Amino acid sequence: MNNPHPSFDEIYMDLATNLAFKSHCVKQKVGAVLAKDTRIISLGYNGPPAGTHNCDEEWPETGCERDRKGSCYLALHAEANAILYATKNKVDLDHSTLYVTLSPCLPCARIILSVGIKTVFYLNSYAAYKGIDLDEGVEFLKKFGVKVVPFKEHYRTIQPV
């Protein structure tokens, strides 16, 4: 018989998925949850830094400007926002777990490794989203001992009773 109670992993990925809806990005909405010892320690979603422009309000058709590599000029990634909020509030991230709806890019992977996150669950592939052949961030994290788990294998839609 299946366990009717969702796991913490499922709950946190559901929360990350719902947080993505808070994003003001018109290109891709991403959510992130940081947890440690079955407790949420930080949340984040992709978007511009506080005090700048919300892309969906300022540029609803096109989104914000692009940099020379074609990336959003203003956007902070969901996992970076969650990490920045935690560190700003002096939260210890060592041995924490990240749940994110899009696998980390290489720059975010470097930050994840540097702050001591030990496990990353992701729902969708950054490489597939960008149309590239390799999830560089995922490979980087694996190379340096961070456990990286594609969550689709474990994910179930939670049905309220």
Side-chain angles (χ1 to χ4, degrees):
M1 182 172 168
N2 287 339
N3 184 350
H5 302 287
S7 69
F8 280 110
D9 293 337
E10 290 167 323
I11 290 169
Y12 297 152
M13 189 57 82
D14 272 350
L15 180 55
T17 300
N18 282 312
L19 280 168
F21 290 109
K22 293 287 294 170
S23 172
H24 289 275
C25 183
V26 300
K27 300 288 183 186
Q28 176 77 343
K29 296 183 181 304
V30 182
V33 173
L34 276 167
K36 186 174 182 178
D37 302 326
T38 71
R39 299 290 184 241
I40 295 169
I41 57 176
S42 191
L43 308 169
Y45 51 88
N46 62 318
T52 62
H53 302 280
N54 286 327
C55 301
D56 60 347
E57 295 167 2
E58 190 75 20
W59 308 280
E61 299 299 319
T62 60
C64 66
E65 297 177 51
R66 303 284 157 201
D67 64 18
R68 285 183 271 172
K69 295 179 182 177
S71 296
C72 296
Y73 183 75
L74 280 174
L76 288 169
H77 290 187
E79 58 273 43
N81 262 329
I83 291 166
L84 287 168
Y85 185 80
T87 56
K88 182 178 179 180
N89 289 286
K90 299 176 179 40
V91 175
D92 179 18
L93 297 176
D94 200 35
H95 296 284
S96 60
T97 299
L98 172 68
Y99 301 83
V100 64
T101 59
L102 193 66
S103 61
C105 67
L106 184 56
C108 285
R110 291 182 191 123
I111 294 167
I112 289 164
L113 178 67
S114 297
V115 298
I117 294 169
K118 294 300 180 196
T119 305
V120 175
F121 288 97
Y122 70 91
L123 194 54
N124 299 303
S125 165
Y126 182 81
Y129 165 66
K130 284 295 199 175
I132 54 179
D133 63 346
L134 180 67
D135 257 316
E136 294 174 314
V138 169
E139 295 307 313
F140 174 87
L141 291 170
K142 288 179 178 177
K143 179 178 181 177
F144 291 103
V146 175
K147 181 180 176 184
V148 182
V149 182
F151 203 69
K152 285 182 181 180
E153 300 166 11
H154 309 283
Y155 198 57
R156 66 179 174 158
T157 303
I158 297 171
Q159 301 295 322
V161 180

